[in-house]
Amino acid sequence: RHPTRMPRPVAASASYPACHSLPQHLALSGDLVRAHNNGGVLIATFTNRLAADFALNWARQLHTLGLRSLIGISERLVGWGEGAGGDAGGGEEAFKLAGAGLFCADGPSMKINGQAGRWAE
């Protein structure tokens, strides 16, 4: 295999859905992976609402360097980080503006322990 060639996407099994509680449009797909790879390299992390500030800063720093990223989320971030005055400092749109693609990472291990469970999903 050529190191920069993307592997073929693997279909999610019927017994383990792509998303557990989040909308299926957030499922990790081959198109999302291809759109956010950096010369065949994926840069990914995971977050929830509590660590979303860190994840957004991380994505913005990568974007400044011309790199795209993927962020697995365990819950919707709609409305997160928006100030009382309605400024759009956060929310899922902020991640998009920072060159990050969001995908669901909302399985049972992630719900129990967001730090350790994220890699088990």
Side-chain angles (χ1 to χ4, degrees):
R1 263 163 100 173
H2 190 275
T4 60
R5 188 170 296 146
M6 297 297 294
R8 292 182 176 260
V10 177
S13 74
S15 62
Y16 192 83
C19 296
H20 293 269
S21 59
L22 293 174
Q24 290 302 311
H25 77 272
L26 289 171
L28 187 61
S29 68
D31 288 341
L32 186 66
V33 168
R34 283 186 288 278
H36 291 86
N37 85 83
N38 301 281
V41 175
L42 294 174
I43 304 171
T45 194
F46 299 85
T47 196
N48 58 19
R49 292 175 80 84
L50 297 175
D53 288 323
F54 170 80
L56 180 58
N57 182 56
W58 177 84
R60 286 176 173 160
Q61 296 300 318
L62 290 171
H63 189 65
T64 299
L65 298 172
L67 299 170
R68 294 174 300 273
S69 59
L70 288 170
I71 301 174
I73 57 173
S74 61
E75 58 193 323
R76 295 300 302 263
L77 302 176
V78 174
W80 156 85
E82 293 179 358
D87 60 322
E92 293 174 5
E93 184 64 23
F95 287 91
K96 185 176 181 179
L97 293 172
L102 299 178
F103 67 95
C104 62
D106 62 343
S109 296
M110 188 71 171
K111 296 288 185 185
I112 293 169
N113 183 341
Q115 295 304 305
R118 59 190 173 182
W119 298 110
E121 296 296 325

